[in-house]
Amino acid sequence: MSITPTGSSELSADCGRCFALCCVALPFARSADFAADKGAGTPCRNLQDDFRCGIHAGLRSRGYAGCTVYDCFGAGQKVSQVTFGGRDWRSGDDGHARRMFDVFPVMRQLHELLRYLTEGLSLAAARPVHAELRRMLEETERLTLGTPGELGELDVGAHRARVNVLLLRTSELVRAGAGGRRRSRRGADLVGARLTGADLRGADLRGACLIAADLRGADLRDADLIGADLRDADLTDADLTGAFFLTQPQVNSARGGQGTRLPASVARPGHWTPGP
């Protein structure tokens, strides 16, 4: 069977085609990010009958900033419209709802991998592995088209590990052409680190914890930011041109302004501090 890879427009959430799966399937705890507790499989108290959020326009001011930094990478509409053929979790018995909720996080991981693989194919420096990236993209897409039972039994961790090997090779190729010291900060604990004006060109920041780090004016060109935790990191006037494997949720969780230079793969968050 020939598989047509998911287009980039299908790798971000389209809430109008989803049955609010993230608002029901996922749990959250009362914290700075959420104003109340919610268990897995329990609808958020702000969810309306039409599957829309009743406070979407004011999530941050109402204490639900955590919702604004989440993206299912298009998994919600895939599960809603493809895996379950447009049948929502309110129809059928409890078993039907549980199957939807179990499949959703699996699909979310697969769609995140599709997002990275698609970006890898757009990187000219990664051309030596483009054929492998394309094959892995098609294989991952094929997995997303599985039945609820097949998706429920999928060892997504094992598949993710295989994809990661290829993404590491992609990263090495891209960063090899970058200037700077190309330091490895993979998985580093950089919570609150003072990195103002730091030269991080071509740095490996995969999985680095940069919570509340001061990155004002830092040079992050061509840095690998896959999995980096940027919550409350200050990116004011930082240059992230060419930074790769950076997702919208990561950017949304950080602070920045008009002077922050971002790669074309992400949009400037509306809540960032405006320029003068």
Side-chain angles (χ1 to χ4, degrees):
M1 178 178 64
S2 176
I3 301 293
T4 301
T6 299
S8 58
S9 63
E10 289 292 322
L11 293 177
S12 58
D14 183 349
C15 298
R17 296 166 55 207
C18 176
F19 298 128
L21 294 178
C22 64
C23 305
V24 186
L26 306 180
F28 53 71
R30 186 183 181 91
S31 62
D33 292 322
F34 296 101
D37 295 320
K38 189 192 83 65
T42 303
C44 174
R45 63 187 183 185
N46 300 306
L47 184 63
Q48 301 179 141
D49 290 340
D50 61 357
F51 300 110
R52 295 181 180 277
C53 175
I55 62 168
H56 188 267
L59 283 167
R60 286 183 170 272
S61 62
R62 298 286 290 273
Y64 287 85
C67 297
T68 69
V69 299
Y70 178 81
D71 189 340
C72 71
F73 301 104
Q77 63 258 31
K78 178 68 92 36
V79 171
S80 298
Q81 303 301 330
V82 179
T83 312
F84 287 88
R87 186 182 178 197
D88 68 70
W89 50 268
R90 287 175 177 155
S91 60
D93 55 21
D94 290 342
H96 169 69
R98 283 196 300 273
R99 286 189 291 275
M100 287 195 83
F101 301 155
D102 288 345
V103 164
F104 175 60
V106 173
M107 187 70 79
R108 197 267 184 187
Q109 290 196 61
L110 292 175
H111 266 239
E112 183 180 13
L113 294 177
L114 288 176
R115 158 70 169 74
Y116 293 140
L117 290 165
T118 299
E119 182 175 354
L121 284 167
S122 73
L123 301 172
R127 190 174 302 279
V129 293
H130 276 187
E132 294 174 75
L133 285 168
R134 192 169 293 106
R135 283 193 293 270
M136 189 62 75
L137 180 71
E138 293 175 352
E139 180 180 341
T140 305
E141 180 66 35
R142 186 176 291 106
L143 291 175
T144 71
L145 299 177
T147 66
E150 290 169 339
L151 286 163
E153 295 176 359
L154 178 65
D155 186 347
V156 70
H159 182 68
R160 194 178 190 100
R162 290 178 57 216
V163 173
N164 190 52
V165 171
L166 188 52
L167 295 180
L168 280 168
R169 291 175 59 192
T170 301
S171 175
E172 291 166 359
L173 288 167
V174 175
R175 292 186 300 106
R181 300 171 65 184
R182 294 193 288 114
R183 296 184 63 180
S184 176
R185 300 288 188 99
R186 186 184 305 179
D189 182 355
L190 297 170
V191 175
R194 297 179 180 178
L195 297 167
T196 308
D199 182 358
L200 295 169
R201 284 175 292 168
D204 182 354
L205 289 164
R206 296 170 64 90
C209 188
L210 287 156
I211 296 174
D214 185 351
L215 289 161
R216 289 174 297 168
D219 190 343
L220 289 153
R221 286 176 291 172
D222 299 311
D224 182 348
L225 289 165
I226 194 169
D229 193 337
L230 295 172
R231 284 177 293 169
D232 205 34
D234 192 345
L235 297 175
T236 301
D237 296 327
D239 189 351
L240 288 87
T241 306
F244 56 102
F245 298 149
L246 176 68
T247 66
Q248 195 64 51
Q250 287 173 291
V251 175
N252 289 351
S253 70
R255 291 179 288 136
Q258 290 301 311
T260 305
R261 300 180 65 183
L262 295 170
S265 58
V266 294
R268 189 175 306 277
H271 64 274
W272 275 13
T273 303

